[in-house]
Amino acid sequence: MNARPLILELVTEELPPKALKALGEAFADGIEKTLQAQHLLAEGCVRTAYASPRRLAVHLSAVLDQAADQPFAEKLMPAAIGLDASGAATPALQKKLHAKGLDHLAVSQLTRRHDGKQDVLYAEGTAPGARLADGLQQALDHAVTHLPIPKVMQYQLADGRTSVKFVRPAHHLLALWGDAVVPVRTLGLKADRITRGHRFLCQDPITIATADEWAQRLGHEGRVIPSFEQRRAKIAQQLADTSAALGATIGQSPEAEALLDEVTALVEWPTVYVGAFEKEFLSVPPECLILTMRLNQKYFPLFDPETGALTHRFLIVSNMQPQDPTFIIQGNQRVVRPRLADAQFFYQTDLKTPLVERVAELANSVYHNKLGSQLQRTERVRKLAHWLAPLLGGDAPAAARAAMLAHADLGTQMVGEFPELQGIMGAYYAAHDGEPADVVRALRDQYRIRLDAPVSAETLTATILFMAERAETLIGIWGIGLAPTGERDPYGLRRAALGLISAYEQLTAGGWLRANQDSPARLAALLEQAAENFAPGTLADGTVEAVLNFVYERYRNLLAASHERAAIDAVLALRPPLHQVAARVQACVDFVALPQAEALAAANKRVSNLLKKAEGTLPAIDDSLLCEPAERQLADTIARLAPQARHELDAGNFTASLAVLAQARDAVDQFFTEVMVMADDPQVRANRLALLQNLHGLMNQVADLSRLAQ
């Protein structure tokens, strides 16, 4: 068995840029795993995936020409079925052996094993190891048909009769093991040692001598950097160097990173050039210019490194490298200028109509056929924001104004051209119209996924609109039967729930909600009020409770990433106000670390089980019936500790409240050791259960401690 490097390359038409990286990894994975399953990869073999706009390839550093012989044990059938009375093979056994390619075996070469019920026939032996040509063909067939692409193209081969399916039409196939061509086929192509370089910078085919020289020669002669990561790194370095030379920066943002990935998938030999546009376009909101440059033209806008302001320059990542790039630069500037002019026209035209006058137009836009128009939805959100604002100490008229204007920009030309700018453009138009600063901010922030900073006086109105929008969405969409199912959540209800959770967290962090208070703005009240704003008969019965459960379950899953599940379950079992959940969970985590915690949690579980046996309403405790010293001691302990624990609970000191509870351990242990709760005397039994009911109330004010029991 001989190990050599292997290169497999499939040259195609331009592949989908946003899927290219995943396609390259999937193609390489499919080849590697199939060869590994056939034992054709030598120990220490290193895989390298390649993906460029016109090729998918994989290099494996050590591949065997033939795998080692492999032992096998093939279960056939029960001996009673496979053998006749004389011990000869039955037709059923002969058919099975033939189907498995084992008909060369005689009955005497089969093994009998007892599986506990009956004797079973097995074929055992050593199978010849897979040969590379066969194994690579199987690997290629698998990789080609299992790429992660939802839609493939069907195209006709050169013979004019055969049709095949693939992501894009394929033109060349290269397969080299060391210096030898591996005779594999796919998509009507037969493997050879020839590759194709850059479509324009390298017209001649390149003949590859060995697998290890493929990448180097493709780069030097073919003007192609086949590695996605190397190409990306080169582009990033050129962007950084060029922007630094201009005293600017491309900025750091998820959008810039996504654009870098996309242009990496669009070019094979990247070169960065500098373009510019007229400074007069900078009077347009920068988001409009940035979006059109990134989204439509794949340019990198340049920013002032000190102020972050957009400049009139941008960077172009080209797939060409001529001696004189003037035509490339001028061509790109000529293309982008009309788009910027359109943005300027849209903006100036939109400013002519005050935003408030556009609200009535929302009546012509359907939100959902069961929930009415956008105007009707706007009115529901306005009412909810007006109700919520005073409960949080906010400005009700400002909150209502923000809600009324929230979607008025949907009818503007700019948002019609760039839907991604919803809210952002509304904020610009509101500011131009002289709307209050907190209203402007609310419009700008309304589409955020989560709130990630404590709420301040400046952001309170924005937070109120944020909460009202999400509460209305959750109640309305859920109420008409469109709850999330499995992986599907087309209306973003999971995101809306997480947004509400973040709002309550940040309101608490900002001091607008206090952990020691049960605010009238609690989640249940917010959802109830949202439901009241819908027309009678619109929502299904039980919608509020279902949405409430949904939000708490989302919080459960969110907290599970950073806290023990038992502590989370213990708190959520009581369904406390949403803004108290995080503090209570942390208190449970601290409590579990105490030496008394395990015994008290176990005792609480026992108390819960005993109270389930109580019949009817338990009476008040009769001190004259406390005949055992241990039960009198427990009653005294409860009377002493209950006010302390309640005081800490009311102050929002949940950890301190549970720490007070820890002092009850000795009395609880002694009670269960010395006292028979289910006494024969019904009055004594009821009195002891009443005592345990008081203990249960003391123990479970912060969380259901029985959930902490191991």
Side-chain angles (χ1 to χ4, degrees):
M1 292 177 288
N2 188 14
R4 295 181 181 179
L6 171 76
I7 183 70
L8 180 69
E9 177 198 37
L10 186 62
V11 180
T12 69
E13 291 293 331
E14 275 72 10
L15 295 162
K18 293 185 178 180
L20 180 63
K21 187 176 181 180
L23 289 173
E25 290 296 327
F27 183 78
D29 280 346
I31 299 297
E32 180 188 28
K33 290 178 179 178
T34 308
L35 293 180
Q36 181 66 56
Q38 298 179 82
H39 308 283
L40 284 166
L41 300 185
E43 184 176 355
C45 179
V46 177
R47 183 206 79 183
T48 305
Y50 294 96
S52 80
R54 298 199 305 133
R55 75 198 68 239
L56 299 174
V58 58
H59 180 275
L60 296 162
S61 63
V63 180
L64 303 172
D65 58 342
Q66 183 171 3
D69 293 347
Q70 301 295 318
F72 70 90
E74 188 78 36
K75 184 177 180 180
L76 299 173
M77 61 181 58
I81 298 175
L83 302 176
D84 60 19
S86 65
T90 63
L93 178 58
Q94 293 172 357
K95 184 177 180 180
K96 174 70 79 171
L97 290 171
H98 179 73
K100 292 185 174 292
L102 300 172
D103 43 7
H104 62 283
L105 296 178
V107 171
S108 60
Q109 294 175 288
L110 303 181
T111 302
R112 296 175 67 145
R113 295 183 193 169
H114 194 74
D115 64 358
K117 297 181 180 180
Q118 59 187 339
D119 285 345
V120 179
L121 295 175
Y122 283 82
E124 296 182 336
T126 302
R131 299 186 64 83
L132 175 58
D134 298 330
L136 186 58
Q137 183 65 62
Q138 183 179 340
L140 182 57
D141 291 343
H142 173 82
V144 165
T145 56
H146 288 78
L147 293 179
I149 196 78
K151 292 184 179 180
V152 296
M153 291 183 64
Q154 179 171 318
Y155 60 95
Q156 199 171 62
L157 299 181
D159 62 13
R161 299 185 304 274
T162 309
S163 293
V164 295
K165 293 181 179 180
F166 194 55
V167 184
R168 293 292 185 268
H171 296 305
H172 302 284
L173 178 64
L174 177 146
L176 287 177
W177 179 70
D179 60 357
V181 174
V182 184
V184 292
R185 296 173 177 269
T186 191
L187 303 172
L189 305 173
K190 180 181 178 181
D192 55 28
R193 62 175 67 249
I194 297 174
T195 188
R196 294 293 192 276
H198 194 286
R199 187 186 292 275
F200 304 109
L201 301 180
C202 176
Q203 297 296 318
D204 298 328
I206 303 170
T207 301
I208 306 298
T210 67
D212 280 344
E213 73 174 33
W214 172 83
Q216 183 180 17
R217 292 194 58 194
L218 195 56
H220 288 171
E221 300 174 35
R223 298 295 190 182
V224 172
I225 302 175
S227 168
F228 187 95
E229 295 302 330
Q230 291 178 10
R231 207 163 57 252
R232 188 182 193 277
K234 182 174 182 179
I235 295 172
Q237 189 61 54
Q238 289 188 47
L239 291 172
D241 292 344
T242 306
S243 59
L246 295 170
T249 175
I250 63 170
Q252 293 184 343
S253 67
E255 293 78 15
E257 290 297 311
L259 179 59
L260 180 55
D261 283 338
E262 189 170 359
V263 297
T264 300
L266 288 169
V267 298
E268 291 186 314
W269 193 251
T271 306
V272 171
Y273 301 111
V274 180
F277 55 84
E278 290 79 1
K279 291 184 179 180
E280 65 184 67
F281 290 123
L282 293 176
S283 62
V284 178
E287 291 89 346
C288 307
L289 308 182
I290 293 168
L291 188 62
T292 193
M293 283 190 282
R294 285 177 176 167
L295 183 66
N296 299 123
Q297 304 305 129
K298 314 306 177 190
Y299 299 154
F300 288 84
L302 289 176
F303 303 89
D304 185 299
E306 295 183 1
T307 65
L310 180 68
T311 73
H312 71 293
R313 290 191 175 95
F314 57 90
L315 299 183
I316 307 156
V317 181
S318 174
N319 198 32
M320 299 292 290
Q321 194 178 43
Q323 291 184 348
D324 181 5
T326 302
F327 290 109
I328 291 178
I329 296 171
Q330 291 179 346
N332 280 277
Q333 291 178 161
R334 188 165 55 250
V335 168
V336 76
R337 191 174 292 111
R339 290 191 173 275
L340 300 182
D342 286 346
Q344 184 181 52
F345 173 78
F346 293 151
Y347 178 61
Q348 293 174 348
T349 301
D350 288 340
L351 288 178
K352 295 177 182 178
T353 303
L355 194 62
V356 68
E357 294 183 13
R358 297 183 181 275
V359 174
E361 298 174 8
L362 296 175
N364 301 321
S365 177
V366 176
Y367 171 56
H368 191 281
N369 61 353
K370 293 184 179 180
L371 298 175
S373 67
Q374 284 285 2
L375 182 61
Q376 290 173 302
R377 179 176 187 248
T378 294
E379 179 60 15
R380 291 193 294 266
V381 175
R382 188 197 66 78
K383 289 181 180 179
L384 189 56
H386 190 274
W387 170 86
L388 179 61
L391 302 183
L392 294 174
D395 184 338
R401 181 76 175 181
M404 181 183 70
L405 298 175
H407 299 296
D409 64 350
L410 293 179
T412 63
Q413 293 193 50
M414 187 69 82
V415 172
E417 181 70 15
F418 299 112
E420 299 88 346
L421 296 178
Q422 292 177 39
I424 294 173
M425 294 314 303
Y428 277 108
Y429 299 143
H432 177 269
D433 295 342
E435 296 289 345
D438 58 342
V439 171
V440 172
R441 180 158 192 161
L443 300 186
R444 176 176 290 276
D445 291 350
Q446 64 180 302
Y447 290 103
R448 295 176 64 185
I449 296 176
R450 296 193 63 186
L451 302 185
D452 52 11
V455 177
S456 64
E458 291 74 22
T459 61
L460 182 58
T461 299
T463 301
I464 292 167
L465 175 60
F466 182 91
M467 295 171 68
E469 284 270 3
R470 279 140 190 82
E472 194 277 343
T473 297
L474 282 163
I475 290 294
I477 298 300
W478 194 292
I480 59 173
L482 297 176
T485 57
E487 296 296 323
R488 291 187 54 77
D489 185 14
Y491 292 92
L493 299 193
R494 294 188 181 95
R495 188 169 60 245
L498 292 174
L500 271 180
I501 291 167
S502 73
Y504 277 98
E505 288 178 338
Q506 299 305 337
L507 282 166
T508 304
W512 303 94
L513 292 174
R514 300 188 181 278
N516 63 337
Q517 296 176 353
D518 183 3
S519 170
R522 64 185 300 174
L523 178 62
L526 176 64
L527 297 178
E528 287 282 0
Q529 187 65 33
E532 289 184 11
N533 293 331
F534 287 88
T538 302
L539 307 176
D541 293 340
T543 294
V544 171
E545 184 63 23
V547 171
L548 194 63
N549 290 335
F550 176 70
V551 175
Y552 274 93
E553 281 305 307
R554 297 306 300 169
Y555 208 2
R556 186 193 307 275
N557 295 335
L558 182 65
L559 291 169
S562 55
H563 294 86
E564 291 293 330
R565 192 73 184 218
I568 301 168
D569 292 343
V571 170
L572 294 185
L574 302 187
R575 191 63 65 77
L578 201 66
H579 64 283
Q580 295 182 358
V581 169
R584 288 178 181 242
V585 169
Q586 185 57 52
C588 285
V589 172
D590 296 338
F591 175 73
V592 168
L594 298 176
Q596 304 95 329
E598 185 175 351
L600 285 172
N604 188 64
K605 189 172 185 178
R606 184 175 180 182
V607 169
S608 298
N609 292 333
L610 286 169
L611 290 176
K612 292 176 182 177
K613 300 177 182 179
E615 298 178 0
T617 303
L618 293 173
I621 296 176
D622 185 345
D623 291 340
S624 66
L625 295 176
L626 299 174
C627 50
E628 297 288 345
E631 60 182 327
R632 288 198 299 273
Q633 181 183 355
L634 180 59
D636 292 341
T637 300
I638 294 173
R640 176 172 57 85
L641 297 182
Q644 300 177 35
R646 188 70 209 185
H647 173 75
E648 299 293 353
L649 179 71
D650 291 342
N653 301 324
F654 303 120
T655 299
S657 181
L658 289 175
V660 170
L661 175 62
Q663 301 174 37
R665 176 187 172 176
D666 292 341
V668 172
D669 287 348
Q670 188 173 355
F671 177 84
F672 281 116
T673 300
E674 301 179 7
V675 177
M676 174 64 71
V677 177
M678 306 306 287
D680 293 335
D681 186 327
Q683 287 186 312
V684 173
R685 181 170 65 247
N687 199 58
R688 289 174 178 172
L689 287 172
L691 179 62
L692 291 182
Q693 187 176 60
N694 286 357
L695 175 64
H696 189 267
L698 170 64
M699 297 177 76
N700 295 294
Q701 296 179 96
V702 174
D704 181 357
L705 296 190
S706 67
R707 304 293 183 102
L708 302 177
Q710 298 295 325

